[in-house]
Amino acid sequence: MQWKNTRSGYGLVAIALHWLVALTVIGLAILGLWMVDLSYYSPWYRSAPFWHRSVGLALFAVLLLRMFWRCFNPRPGQLPNHRRWELNLAALVHGLLYFLLFVIVISGYLISTATGQGISFFGWFEVPATLTGLPAQADRAGAVHYWAAILVLGLAALHALGALKHHFIDRDDTLRRMLGLRSRQLNSSKEKQA
């Protein structure tokens, strides 16, 4: 497998970044929903938010890298069986996912820095608080953070259902390309030659 995308498939970097973002978002959502119910006396009361913030900052860096890679590395060509409405819906969902992921990270930053305190990045260094003192900053940013995360999970589910539809109903290579698997057409042509 190549590092860069080709006309027929995604490269190793694009695939790794896609799945890294997907798994990180799922993990952060689970951690975020779990940690808001922790009591003050829980041993995780301070460490769960520390990990949530640190991984959230790392996600921000990975998102920037993914956007950079996407800008300078051409996407594979569209598959011939994709209909116009599918392409438009996929573009809309991808665009909303990127937008909402940045909204989540920025709102999380505004929650964490509302009191003027910076955010520790895994204890290695601190990201300073640059925008503080807005009216009800933590509460408003918290509401945006929560609802944007719910929307991302819904859009991610739609995205996954679309991939499964292409794989099991249309029987095309949409999902196979993001898994780094060989094209069904290549596999069937090799079987015919054998």
Side-chain angles (χ1 to χ4, degrees):
M1 175 177 284
Q2 297 183 8
W3 289 93
K4 290 185 168 188
N5 297 346
T6 64
R7 290 294 300 153
S8 61
Y10 290 98
L12 187 59
V13 173
I15 292 170
L17 290 173
H18 174 272
W19 292 108
L20 179 61
V21 168
L23 293 174
T24 302
V25 167
I26 292 167
L28 283 172
I30 292 168
L31 178 59
L33 290 171
W34 172 73
M35 74 183 193
V36 295
D37 289 332
L38 293 174
S39 74
Y40 180 78
Y41 299 103
S42 169
W44 292 98
Y45 183 76
R46 294 207 191 291
S47 59
F50 167 82
W51 288 106
H52 188 80
R53 289 182 201 116
S54 294
V55 174
L57 288 171
L59 175 63
F60 180 66
V62 172
L63 284 170
L64 290 176
L65 176 61
R66 187 163 184 211
M67 294 299 290
F68 177 81
W69 188 259
R70 188 176 174 135
C71 286
F72 296 103
N73 193 21
R75 292 178 56 201
Q78 299 298 336
L79 295 175
N81 66 310
H82 287 176
R83 296 175 204 87
R84 174 66 46 205
W85 70 266
E86 289 175 316
L87 297 172
N88 291 337
L89 182 60
L92 176 65
V93 169
H94 279 112
L96 284 172
L97 280 170
Y98 279 116
F99 173 74
L100 289 169
L101 286 172
F102 280 108
V103 167
I104 290 169
V105 172
I106 292 166
S107 61
Y109 171 81
L110 291 174
I111 297 166
S112 301
T113 59
T115 61
Q117 197 170 16
I119 303 171
S120 174
F121 183 70
F122 296 109
W124 299 334
F125 60 88
E126 190 170 287
V127 176
T130 57
L131 183 61
T132 61
L134 298 174
Q137 178 174 331
D139 291 336
R140 289 179 178 169
V144 169
H145 192 73
Y146 174 80
W147 288 109
I150 295 298
L151 285 171
V152 160
L153 293 175
L155 287 171
L158 180 63
H159 178 65
L161 286 173
L164 293 173
K165 175 234 183 234
H166 281 289
H167 189 73
F168 291 110
I169 296 172
D170 298 342
R171 302 200 48 79
D172 67 25
D173 289 333
T174 302
L175 180 59
R176 295 179 70 81
R177 294 197 305 183
M178 192 44 75
L179 292 172
L181 301 174
R182 287 198 127 155
S183 166
R184 290 181 198 246
Q185 284 76 28
L186 286 176
N187 288 341
S188 63
S189 65
K190 283 187 176 182
E191 288 170 8
K192 287 176 185 174
Q193 290 174 359

